């Protein structure tokens, strides 16, 4: 799985609570991405990082924040979870950006009640 | 707006048969097109990646074609196996920018014994 792990793999939380998802890589890749996948939609980019402390917004960034303090870790935080954020979240990595194949993690299934 | 349309939405075939999945895109400026396989409950895995100058690429029993003039791609699966049951996602990359990916919604393929 290209040296990518996500934690937790499953989480159930309540509306209004903060949630942090972690993506960890052992490949020393420069780029890391967070996507969400929902029925009827393709994968949609939430945020991405192009280096330590370098992040940018994606298509569906509202309600999410990210941090990358080390090359190997990329954190996604839902400051106050809402039911619309129930989804499967995937982390992806690569070395050279969007024009290069991405390697995806196993996903985190989040249910917000 | 960049778009990727895949057809059919779902497909059921018998083991051993061949099938072809379609992808039409309107992404500019075009950089490359990828096909991913996503098994249930797992992250997508890259099958092929093609640039503008490539019109066919194979990966075992998977053969992808690209017609950059008509902006169409196909993924042909030969002698299908039960393990081919999965969703197949077409992804098109635009040149420039780390977030320049457009994902299709996928074709859900079921192989029946």
């Amino acid at each position: 799985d290209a040296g990518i792990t996500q934690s937790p793999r499953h989480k159930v939380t309540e509306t209004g609570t903060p949630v942090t998802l972690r993506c960890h890589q052992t490949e020393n890749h420069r780029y890391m991405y967070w996507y969400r996948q929902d029925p009827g939609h393709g994968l949609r980019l939430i945020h991405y990082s192009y280096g330590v402390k370098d992040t940018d917004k994606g298509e569906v960034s509202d309600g999410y924040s990210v941090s990358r303090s080390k090359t190997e870790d990329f954190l996604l935080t839902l400051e106050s979870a809402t039911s619309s954020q129930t989804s499967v979240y995937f982390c992806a990595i690569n070395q050279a950006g969007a024009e290069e194949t991405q390697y995806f993690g196993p996903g985190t299934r989040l249910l917000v009640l | 707006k960049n778009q990727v349309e895949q057809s059919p939405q779902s497909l059921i075939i018998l083991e051993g048969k061949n099938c072809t999945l379609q992808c039409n895109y309107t992404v500019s400026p075009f950089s490359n097109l990828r096909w991913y396989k996503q098994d249930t409950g797992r992250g997508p895995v890259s099958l092929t990646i093609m640039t503008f100058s490539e019109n066919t690429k194979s990966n075992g029993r998977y053969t992808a074609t690209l017609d950059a003039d008509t902006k169409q791609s196909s993924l042909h699966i030969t002698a299908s196996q039960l393990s081919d049951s999965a969703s197949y996602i077409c992804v098109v990359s635009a040149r420039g920018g780390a977030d320049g990916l457009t994902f299709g919604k996928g074709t859900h393929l079921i192989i029946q014994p």
Side-chain angles (χ1 to χ4, degrees), chain A residues 1 9 31 33 35 37 40-45 48 57-58 90 94 97-107 109, chain B residues 1 31-32 34 36 38 41-46 48-49 89 91 93-101 103-106:
Chain A
D1 290 330
R9 293 294 314 279
Y31 286 83
Y33 310 79
Y35 291 93
Q37 187 175 42
H41 294 272
L43 282 151
R44 292 181 290 176
L45 181 66
Y48 66 95
K57 296 179 180 180
F90 287 99
N94 64 12
E99 296 186 41
E100 183 185 75
T101 294
Q102 294 175 314
Y103 302 94
F104 286 84
R109 190 172 294 272
Chain B
K1 180 182 177 183
S31 174
N32 61 62
R34 313 152 196 192
Y36 283 88
Q38 185 176 20
R42 306 194 67 170
V45 175
S46 178
T48 64
I49 180 169
I89 303 171
V91 185
S93 170
R95 270 187 282 117
D99 60 341
L101 290 180
F103 288 80
K105 296 178 182 179

Side-chain angles (χ1 to χ4, degrees), chain A residues 21 45 112:
Chain A
L21 309 182
L45 181 66
V112 183

